[in-house]
């Protein structure tokens, strides 16, 4: 028997290429402003020298100089986003029962920037010059560990890794902890800072990145006939989740509710999605079943939509098969690029905002839709009463997670 989830999103925090803070993000997403507009100096010697960076991110100003230098960028992002989310939820960590507060975050690879920098120190200098903080800065679990220390959250503390579905998988896991009564509050989402020379060289070598160097602002173009790969991004998205009854009892604002989720594996290929999207289909159907909803109830889908030829076509075919009534669909990666392990969390936050404000965000750079993709794809912000939305995430290894989001 399926246990029904009814979890309130009471807080959001965002640090993305669209800006620092929820308001800046939502304005950029609604306006379809691409963020891949300049060459990235760290990547200047690589085949793909551009990316989507967080603009104006000053960790010393936001976290304090000494502290910022002891944290990798992926943790810096998460701490800033978590502080916004907790404040947005109207919660006071000094007053809560930390044993009933969990932290579940998604991340694909840990502190890669620190790892690459210290590996260079090892090769070019001496082992004695490698920082003693290497492991504390690099290990993926430190993402949740640092957030727990910051907010006195002594409940379950997890980092999950399902590649580009990591953020969504973390949220699904947080939902289960709340539904089972293991926690009363969970700080959940994802963070990623993988724009480093080694990682980007790997993505370039496998042919995953757009090569549109003459037009980086137009390079991330989900579902467009001229798409040729994704643009890498960085950032963090944090959500505060509570049981809806608990949130209402304390008088909290409920931005939206997560009422179902589904997770599956394609068991098909190390990088390519199943061409017919069989795993994604099952994840969507499971999310709908848990939400006690039918396909016709879906008014909007925040698609995974990476701007790669294979992913977009496979996902579009799946959406047409599972949701034949043709709900509005968009991919916010046209604005932010692909934030890898953080993508699912950030896009879940955008889905919450879409449901809350009754606006479907557009897909940026969609100028000539692929004729093989038969979806309702708005290219401007579209007012739309959304009763139920789905947020799709897919990852290397064939991992899929779908979240069902309802109005609060």
């Amino acid at each position: 028997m399926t246990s029904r989830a009814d979890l309130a999103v009471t807080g959001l925090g965002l640090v993305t290429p669209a800006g620092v803070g929820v308001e800046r993000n939502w304005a950029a997403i609604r306006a379809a402003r691409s963020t891949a507009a300049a060459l990235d100096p760290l990547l200047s010697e690589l085949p793909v020298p551009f990316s989507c960076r967080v603009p104006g991110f000053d960790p010393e100003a936001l976290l304090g100089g000494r502290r910022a230098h002891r944290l990798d960028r992926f943790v810096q992002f998460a701490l800033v986003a978590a502080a916004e989310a907790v404040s947005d939820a109207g919660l006071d960590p000094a007053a809560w029962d930390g044993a009933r507060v969990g932290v579940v975050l998604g991340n694909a690879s840990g502190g890669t920037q620190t790892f690459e920098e210290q590996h260079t120190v090892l090769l070019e200098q001496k082992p004695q010059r490698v920082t003693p903080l290497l492991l504390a800065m690099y290990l993926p679990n430190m993402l949740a560990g640092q957030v727990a220390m910051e907010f006195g959250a002594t409940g379950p503390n997890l980092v999950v890794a399902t590649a580009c579905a990591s953020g969504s998988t973390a949220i699904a896991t947080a939902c289960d902890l709340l539904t089972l009564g293991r926690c009363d509050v969970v700080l959940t989402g994802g963070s990623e800072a993988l724009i480093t020379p080694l990682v980007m060289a790997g993505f370039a070598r496998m042919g995953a990145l757009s090569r549109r160097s003459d037009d980086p602002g137009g390079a991330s173009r989900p579902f467009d006939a001229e798409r040729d790969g994704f643009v890498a991004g960085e950032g963090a998205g944090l959500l505060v989740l509570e049981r809806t009854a608990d949130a209402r009892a304390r008088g909290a604002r409920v931005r939206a509710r997560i009422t179902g989720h589904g997770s599956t594996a394609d068991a098909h290929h190390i990088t390519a999605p199943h061409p017919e999207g069989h795993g994604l289909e099952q994840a969507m159907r499971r999310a709908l079943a848990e939400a006690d909803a039918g396909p016709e109830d879906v008014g909007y889908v925040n698609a995974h939509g990476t701007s790669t030829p294979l992913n977009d076509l496979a996902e579009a075919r799946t959406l047409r098969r599972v949701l034949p009534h043709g709900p509005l669909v968009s991919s916010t990666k046209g604005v932010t690029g692909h934030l890898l392990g953080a993508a699912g969390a950030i896009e879940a936050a955008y889905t919450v905002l879409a449901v809350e404000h009754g606006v479907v965000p557009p897909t940026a750079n969609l100028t000539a839709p692929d004729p093989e993709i038969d979806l309702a794809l708005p290219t401007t912000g579209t007012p739309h009463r959304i009763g139920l939305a789905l947020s799709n995430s897919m990852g290397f290894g064939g991992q899929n997670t779908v979240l069902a989001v309802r109005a609060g």
Side-chain angles (χ1 to χ4, degrees):
M1 182 175 179
T2 302
S3 177
R4 303 293 181 198
D6 191 350
L7 293 314
V9 180
T10 57
L12 295 177
L14 290 168
V15 175
T16 82
V20 177
V22 170
E23 289 188 10
R24 289 183 181 178
N25 269 263
W26 187 231
I29 292 298
R30 288 185 62 175
R33 293 198 297 264
S34 174
T35 60
L39 298 182
D40 189 323
L42 275 181
L43 310 179
S44 60
E45 302 300 318
L46 299 184
V48 179
F50 60 94
S51 63
C52 292
R53 290 281 191 181
V54 176
F57 185 76
D58 185 345
E60 294 187 14
L62 293 166
L63 299 168
R66 184 172 184 272
R67 187 171 178 223
H69 287 293
R70 299 165 69 89
L71 300 170
D72 188 88
R73 192 170 174 87
F74 83 119
V75 174
Q76 294 171 353
F77 289 154
L79 289 175
V80 173
E84 182 184 24
V86 171
S87 175
D88 185 48
L91 291 169
D92 179 5
W96 66 23
D97 178 1
R100 300 294 299 168
V101 179
V103 180
V104 185
L105 299 174
N107 174 261
S109 189
T112 307
Q113 177 174 308
T114 295
F115 184 86
E116 290 187 28
E117 289 173 352
Q118 292 304 307
H119 187 245
T120 299
V121 170
L122 174 67
L123 295 179
E124 296 183 355
Q125 300 180 39
K126 299 177 179 179
Q128 292 79 6
R129 299 302 299 273
V130 171
T131 176
L133 293 172
L134 169 62
L135 295 178
M137 294 175 70
Y138 163 67
L139 292 174
N141 75 290
M142 294 306 295
L143 179 64
Q146 290 282 5
V147 171
M149 287 184 269
E150 177 72 9
F151 297 100
T154 58
N157 190 265
L158 308 170
V159 170
V160 301
T162 53
C164 299
S166 297
S168 292
T169 306
I171 294 170
T173 303
C175 289
D176 288 345
L177 289 174
L178 287 161
T179 300
L180 291 170
R182 309 293 192 222
C183 305
D184 296 326
V185 175
V186 181
L187 311 183
T188 187
S191 187
E192 197 77 275
L194 276 179
I195 303 176
T196 64
L198 180 60
V199 174
M200 291 302 103
F203 277 131
R205 285 285 293 152
M206 69 189 302
L209 300 177
S210 171
R211 298 300 180 100
R212 199 181 289 261
S213 297
D214 59 337
D215 178 26
S220 183
R221 45 196 321 109
F223 304 117
D224 193 86
E226 299 299 320
R227 68 191 186 279
D228 69 330
F230 71 79
V231 179
E234 61 177 5
L238 270 286
L239 293 75
V240 175
L241 294 186
E242 308 172 57
R243 285 179 290 275
T244 298
D246 294 346
R248 297 200 194 285
R250 73 175 182 88
R253 172 186 59 176
V254 176
R255 285 184 174 271
R257 295 176 296 135
I258 298 178
T259 56
H261 62 83
S263 295
T264 62
D266 288 347
H268 169 70
H269 191 271
I270 57 172
T271 57
H274 191 285
E276 297 301 323
H278 288 168
L280 178 62
E281 175 177 351
Q282 291 307 309
M284 292 176 66
R285 295 194 187 282
R286 290 178 188 180
L288 288 171
E290 188 171 286
D292 196 22
E296 67 283 354
D297 296 318
V298 178
Y300 168 59
V301 178
N302 186 303
H304 187 57
T306 58
S307 184
T308 57
L310 292 179
N311 175 91
D312 290 7
L313 185 57
E315 185 174 17
R317 288 170 173 164
T318 305
L319 290 172
R320 288 298 303 167
R321 189 166 60 250
V322 179
L323 308 173
H325 64 293
L328 296 179
V329 177
S330 67
S331 169
T332 50
K333 289 184 176 73
V335 172
T336 65
H338 190 351
L339 282 82
L340 307 168
I346 289 164
E347 289 156 19
Y350 292 155
T351 305
V352 166
L353 291 168
V355 169
E356 180 183 16
H357 294 290
V359 176
V360 171
T363 299
N365 297 318
L366 181 60
T367 57
D370 186 332
E372 292 189 66
I373 292 175
D374 182 18
L375 299 174
L377 298 163
T379 55
T380 59
T382 305
H384 186 59
R385 190 171 182 273
I386 306 167
L388 175 68
L390 298 181
S391 183
N392 289 353
S393 295
M394 304 159 70
F396 282 175
Q399 293 168 310
N400 311 286
T401 296
V402 176
L403 305 172
V405 181
R406 286 191 185 273

